[in-house]
Amino acid sequence: MIIQVRGLRKQYGDNVALQALDLEIEAGGVVGILGPNGAGKTTFVEIVEGLRDATSGSVSVLGMDPASQGPELRERLGVQLQKTALPTELTVREMLDLFAAFYTSALPTDSILQKINLLSQADQKADTLSGGQQQRLVVGIALIHDPEIVILDEPTTGLDPKARRDLHGVIRELREQGRTTILTTHYIEEAELLCDRVIMMRSGEIVADGTPFDLVGQSSESSTIWIHVDGDMDPAPMIAAGVEPLGQQGDHHKFATTDPTATILALGDMLRSQGLSLVDLRLKRPTLEDVYLELMGDVPADDDQAIDDGAGS
Amino acid sequence: MSTPLRGLGPLTRAYLLQSFRSRTAIFWNLVFPMVWLFLFGFIFYRGQPTLMMPGLLTITLISGSFFGVSYLMVSEREAGILRRYRVTPVSATTVVLANAIRALVTLTISVTAQATVGWLVFRYEVNGSLLLTAAIMLLGGAAFVPLGMFVGSVAEDMRSAPAISNLLFFPLVFGSGAAFPAFLLPGWIQSVMRIIPSSYLVEALQGVMIRGQGVMELIGPITVLLLTLVIGAWLNSRLFRWETTQPLDKRAVLTTVAVLLALFLAAAFLAPAFEMVTRPGS
């Protein structure tokens, strides 16, 4: 286990940001932490980084206690903070060189520039970069010392789709290199796309944990099936089979089901008995977003941003 | 293993690059001291350039230490730049020292520019050793930079930093004999002024530049400045904050303020024995 968390609790005054969190993370792969503002994502990663102290419970990262072994741990931990600023007036290259100097060993600056695709902007001042380029630079700084664990706190928030996709490329590369990446995000499709494991948090608790595929499988949301047939179809037998017909959409009949396999078999029987053939069949499984909304449904959006801010100071 | 000072050179270099490239920094470090120089030279001290220089250089050192240093520290902390440094292995000592070195370098540039232009335009005289003059200015900067950093650590944000800096700046300038000659005032007021730390810098600079005194004659004010430097440096090691959410060590603040006050009270009491209250040239 590269990260081990036991009974982790964090309180800001009366606000409980994390309640008795238990979690183990293995080496390798991308772990996504999803949840609304105030769910405790940032509080959690900042305790792992050693930026905040836990109220109670224990955290071990690479066998070290982040609160007391910070400098040693940070040699092996690469961090992109959600709220951060870079030193002003420095060029991209100067900035990377500066951060490289803080570590016992660092990768050559040019290799990082290449990885984050900023070679041609190397001598430009960082504040003249576009939002996407700046975010790539911030991630590049997190990678300068070739860390074993990389923690990215909402790296793609506020980026345009193109910039977001560029950053996804960087994250995929981290995974190919066998690094452990922890990614907090608001974007569910991003978690679905990039993560080997998704942890959903709500009000300081873990409410779901598994591969995106497993989580979708656990959903009680129904799948939707559309069929297009070459004649008039009587959907009554499907009702008997426990499938809910949702009427017609153009040429397609639409059904909702929680058991797509059984439904498709029943559809086949029905079509054969009515002498019809299939022109088109489409199946839409519930997405991670459906699972997410199911679990978070009643949490008001932007609930208690203060907790993630660590305010209450 | 992490060494406590790793990254000091590159961080200092980065800080200096920032100062040399920033228009605001250039204004405060180079243009602002010239404004004081011409204000003093053409208006307040017309025809007495030699009397003007010790106070003028002191003002430059104080304003650079307080406004320059504290603003940069607070704004870096407020923006979250220090927080970003905190998730690297860099130590607080490295960040504090790099800030201090940056401040001393920019202060050196400010006073050198002011002294050079002042000499070219007003032709003041230095009656004592030039080397000792430079050493005292450096010591003065080293004594006041930690006090400016103290403001940087205590101030919560960029709203309170100017308030605290001004609160300290005015007594340091107007209560020390830097802004106008203290020897014009009654003796007991001059004694009271010894509570103000910058009066020792004015005293030492007047000693070497106007009265032509040597180290041994100025040992009193030099000792006070050295002690201010030591206490201030200790203070910064205790008070530095990466983030405003980190609690301020109030006991350390109170202890240091008390120790500094005791130092200046003791110095004020001993001042006559150091022959520090004397009219220049007498």
Side-chain angles (χ1 to χ4, degrees), chain A residues 46 51-52 71 74-75 79 81 83-90 94 98-99 101-104 125 141-142, chain B residues 1-2 6-7 10-11 13-14 17-18 21-23 79-81 83-90 243 245:
Chain A
E46 291 191 350
L51 282 182
R52 292 170 197 270
R74 287 167 193 147
E75 288 279 0
V79 171
L81 297 169
K83 265 173 240 152
T84 192
L86 292 171
T88 53
E89 305 286 345
L90 297 183
E94 286 165 347
L98 170 63
F99 278 90
F102 295 152
Y103 296 93
T104 6
K125 279 191 191 168
I141 290 173
Chain B
M1 272 315 292
S2 65
R6 180 152 22 88
L11 183 58
R13 181 176 171 271
L17 282 177
Q18 286 176 301
R21 286 175 189 169
S22 149
R23 273 191 213 144
I81 298 169
R83 194 163 196 265
R84 184 62 193 79
Y85 290 151
R86 194 185 180 196
V87 288
T88 73
V90 77
E243 295 181 57
T245 48

Side-chain angles (χ1 to χ4, degrees), chain A residues 3-44:
Chain A
I3 297 177
Q4 215 157 12
V5 176
R6 290 267 167 277
L8 182 66
R9 195 179 158 78
K10 176 69 182 179
Q11 232 170 309
Y12 301 107
D14 289 337
N15 276 338
V16 179
L18 294 176
Q19 27 193 347
L21 216 66
D22 286 306
L23 184 64
E24 289 188 337
I25 293 175
E26 286 174 30
V30 180
V31 179
I33 302 182
L34 272 173
N37 287 333
K41 307 183 297 287
T42 295
T43 300
F44 170 68

Side-chain angles (χ1 to χ4, degrees), chain B residues 175-227:
Chain B
S176 65
F180 53 86
F183 61 83
L184 297 175
L185 298 168
W188 67 271
I189 296 185
Q190 293 186 44
S191 298
V192 171
M193 286 167 76
R194 295 298 164 202
I195 299 174
I196 310 288
S198 46
S199 65
Y200 300 95
L201 180 55
V202 179
E203 178 66 29
L205 284 176
Q206 283 179 346
V208 60
M209 295 177 80
I210 301 173
R211 298 192 292 270
Q213 290 172 315
V215 189
M216 289 325 289
E217 292 160 287
L218 295 171
I219 201 70
I222 287 177
T223 309
V224 175
L225 289 173
L226 266 174
L227 288 172

Side-chain angles (χ1 to χ4, degrees), chain A residues 26-27 33 78 86 93 113 135 145 152 195-196 239 260 268 283 311:
Chain A
E26 286 174 30
I33 302 182
L86 292 171
R93 184 186 296 281
L113 284 169
Q135 201 59 4
H145 55 300
L152 307 174
C195 298
D196 301 291
I239 302 170
L283 167 68

